[in-house]
Amino acid sequence: MKKLNQLTVLFRKILVTSFVISTLLTSCKKEQGDNVEDVSHQKNDEVYGMLLKKGISPAMIQDLDGYYLVENDLLIKKQGTDLVALKSFLDPIENSNVAISSQLKASTPKKAQTRTPNLIFASNSGVILYKIDVDYTWNSAIQKAVSNWSQISNTTVNFFPVMDGTPTDNWIIFVNDGGILPNNVIAAAEFPSNGEVGFRVRINLDFNNSQQVSESGKVYNMVHEIGHCLGFRHTNWQQMNENQDGATLIPGTPQQDGLSVMNGGTALNGWNGFSQYDILAAQTIYPYSSLDKWITYPEQKLYYNISSNTVSYAHIALYNNDKVGVSWNPNLVNTAAINVYLYQNKKLVSMVGNNIPNSGTYSFDLPNNLYTSGGHNFYNLQIKIESASNQNLSDMTSFFSVMVD
């Protein structure tokens, strides 16, 4: 097994948990024997000890140099590095982020859509950045997969491509696996941590002895891995003998869903859309609040444009000293006036409108203190409006960009 590519390590200041959700050639349960190394010598390692304490069989723990591959489902750094994040993943009661009102732990065997205890904070789910740094043959599939998730109706989940520099939080980077993943694992992803999306998706470019993977197959696998980055576990985790700890049943989903894109052991599947319960699961975990549709412009979900083979997102082009416009539904909130704020990189730039009549539209000049890329392009902008009489009533856009000419 090759060692972890150092270039991929440098993308993050601290490698938190490398939770790997593996889509396998035939089954998430690998054959025993030569594929599972003897890890009895690792018993003094705290990570190994915690895995055993949680009921994971030594036969289901593979030694991959500096990592353990657990049940072909988790990639965890050795020597205590990932203890905190591992505990968070396995202990849903003590470490759960409250993201939905009903917390139901799968305390009895069930096959159903499940999530991890760690989810993305509501303030982050609509502003997920992503960056593609992998072989170009996967680019269009990744773009389509990101678009598929953002286009699920009535969820806050939305994405925005990294346009400039390197983000510091809440982003997914798609990279080559650097030789870490076993031959029959096509890709692997991390779960959310600290309220942020799972940081990385690793892609095995020589999967199954360099088997040719169709575009539809690539889209399917990227949709699956992004699902893990959003906090979804395998739908068929019980069937695959995965550890029950940390699997939280999503209300309203059935005991089985053979059409779910989150089923494991499906690396050779082609993309055929989400199942109805995949959609329900996303809407349950990341729902719109009553005010999430107050702003109507600039507010756009990222989507894949078939004709141009590109993704489209909220973008404003300004010419001849044009102003930036914002529109909202004036009937949604009973308020006489609103305040308008401009943010960049999730930090407040300035108040751009004070006590604006609740008419539904407002325009303003771009402030001079915005960070600009190349003098003409402004990225990762957001507009927030709030009731002038009640600051608890507010809405904020997803990211958008502005080009000034």
Side-chain angles (χ1 to χ4, degrees):
M1 184 64 62
K2 301 175 184 176
K3 294 192 175 184
L4 181 64
N5 187 324
Q6 295 301 311
L7 290 177
T8 63
V9 178
L10 293 175
F11 281 119
R12 193 160 172 108
K13 295 182 295 184
I14 300 174
L15 180 61
V16 191
T17 304
S18 298
F19 283 120
V20 173
I21 303 303
S22 305
T23 37
L24 302 180
L25 174 59
T26 55
S27 169
C28 255
K29 185 175 181 180
K30 288 172 62 73
E31 295 294 327
Q32 305 302 316
D34 293 340
N35 287 333
V36 179
E37 299 184 24
D38 181 8
V39 293
S40 61
H41 64 283
Q42 302 290 350
K43 290 184 178 179
N44 292 328
D45 186 353
E46 288 183 88
V47 171
Y48 184 79
M50 179 178 286
L51 293 171
L52 294 181
K53 183 179 179 180
K54 289 297 180 180
I56 297 174
S57 167
M60 296 297 290
I61 305 173
Q62 294 184 66
D63 190 337
L64 301 179
D65 198 5
Y67 297 82
Y68 296 123
L69 182 63
V70 181
E71 296 180 344
N72 296 301
D73 192 47
L74 306 174
L75 189 64
I76 304 169
K77 288 192 73 174
K78 293 181 182 177
Q79 302 304 324
T81 308
D82 285 345
L83 274 175
V84 174
L86 177 60
K87 181 176 176 57
S88 179
F89 173 74
L90 293 174
D91 293 345
I93 298 300
E94 297 177 3
N95 298 282
S96 176
N97 289 322
V98 179
I100 56 175
S101 58
S102 177
Q103 299 285 338
L104 300 177
K105 182 181 178 182
S107 56
T108 57
K110 294 180 179 179
K111 300 174 184 176
Q113 265 89 342
T114 55
R115 63 175 183 84
T116 74
N118 287 330
L119 297 175
I120 306 169
F121 292 154
S123 58
N124 286 334
S125 61
V127 287
I128 303 170
L129 292 166
Y130 70 97
K131 182 176 183 178
I132 301 174
D133 191 20
V134 72
D135 186 87
Y136 74 95
T137 58
W138 283 80
N139 283 11
S140 62
I142 293 170
Q143 301 278 29
K144 293 171 185 175
V146 168
S147 175
N148 286 329
W149 275 107
S150 69
Q151 286 297 303
I152 295 179
S153 63
N154 296 318
T155 73
T156 58
V157 174
N158 200 10
F159 297 84
F160 192 81
V162 172
M163 297 294 193
D164 180 60
T166 299
T168 58
D169 63 353
N170 201 47
W171 65 302
I172 305 174
I173 185 169
F174 296 84
V175 296
N176 301 341
D177 77 317
I180 287 181
L181 299 180
N183 182 55
N184 66 335
V185 177
I186 192 170
E190 299 176 15
F191 283 122
S193 177
N194 299 318
E196 298 177 6
V197 69
F199 167 64
R200 176 172 24 226
V201 172
R202 292 181 172 96
I203 299 173
N204 187 354
L205 298 182
D206 53 4
F207 163 66
N208 197 32
N209 300 317
S210 299
Q211 176 177 337
Q212 189 73 24
V213 182
S214 69
E215 177 76 359
S216 178
K218 291 176 180 178
V219 173
Y220 178 94
N221 282 284
M222 291 300 95
V223 170
H224 180 99
E225 300 306 327
I226 293 170
H228 290 313
C229 291
L230 295 173
F232 294 97
R233 284 190 63 164
H234 288 148
T235 299
N236 58 347
W237 64 273
Q238 176 81 19
Q239 176 184 335
M240 293 160 49
N241 296 319
E242 293 181 353
N243 190 36
Q244 181 176 321
D245 286 345
T248 304
L249 177 67
I250 298 174
T253 61
Q255 292 187 347
Q256 300 183 62
D257 183 6
L259 298 178
S260 173
V261 73
M262 295 312 301
N263 284 323
T266 53
L268 298 184
N269 282 15
W271 174 244
N272 195 32
F274 293 103
S275 76
Q276 69 179 96
Y277 295 109
D278 288 334
I279 294 172
L280 175 61
Q283 293 170 337
T284 301
I285 299 303
Y286 297 112
Y288 276 124
S289 74
S290 59
L291 293 177
D292 278 331
K293 294 185 178 181
W294 191 7
I295 297 177
T296 58
Y297 176 86
E299 184 63 84
Q300 176 182 319
K301 288 292 195 90
L302 181 144
Y303 72 96
Y304 179 73
N305 189 318
I306 296 176
S307 61
S308 62
N309 193 32
T310 59
V311 291
S312 298
Y313 44 83
H315 175 74
I316 299 173
L318 301 180
Y319 304 96
N320 300 321
N321 299 316
D322 287 345
K323 296 179 181 292
V324 176
V326 57
S327 302
W328 64 92
N329 179 356
N331 301 314
L332 187 63
V333 176
N334 184 18
T335 182
I338 66 165
N339 299 324
V340 184
Y341 303 87
L342 183 66
Y343 288 72
Q344 187 174 41
N345 295 316
K346 298 196 290 187
K347 296 180 180 179
L348 177 64
V349 175
S350 63
M351 176 187 282
V352 292
N354 182 31
N355 260 345
I356 306 303
N358 185 21
S359 62
T361 61
Y362 178 67
S363 297
F364 59 91
D365 292 315
L366 279 182
N368 293 325
N369 57 333
L370 281 178
Y371 170 76
T372 179
S373 174
H376 296 276
N377 300 301
F378 303 86
Y379 302 123
N380 301 352
L381 302 178
Q382 292 174 275
I383 294 174
K384 175 183 176 181
I385 65 172
E386 69 178 17
S387 167
S389 59
N390 185 350
Q391 295 181 355
N392 293 320
L393 301 176
S394 65
D395 186 21
M396 180 177 280
T397 67
S398 295
F399 284 140
F400 66 93
S401 65
V402 172
M403 186 276 293
V404 179
D405 193 357

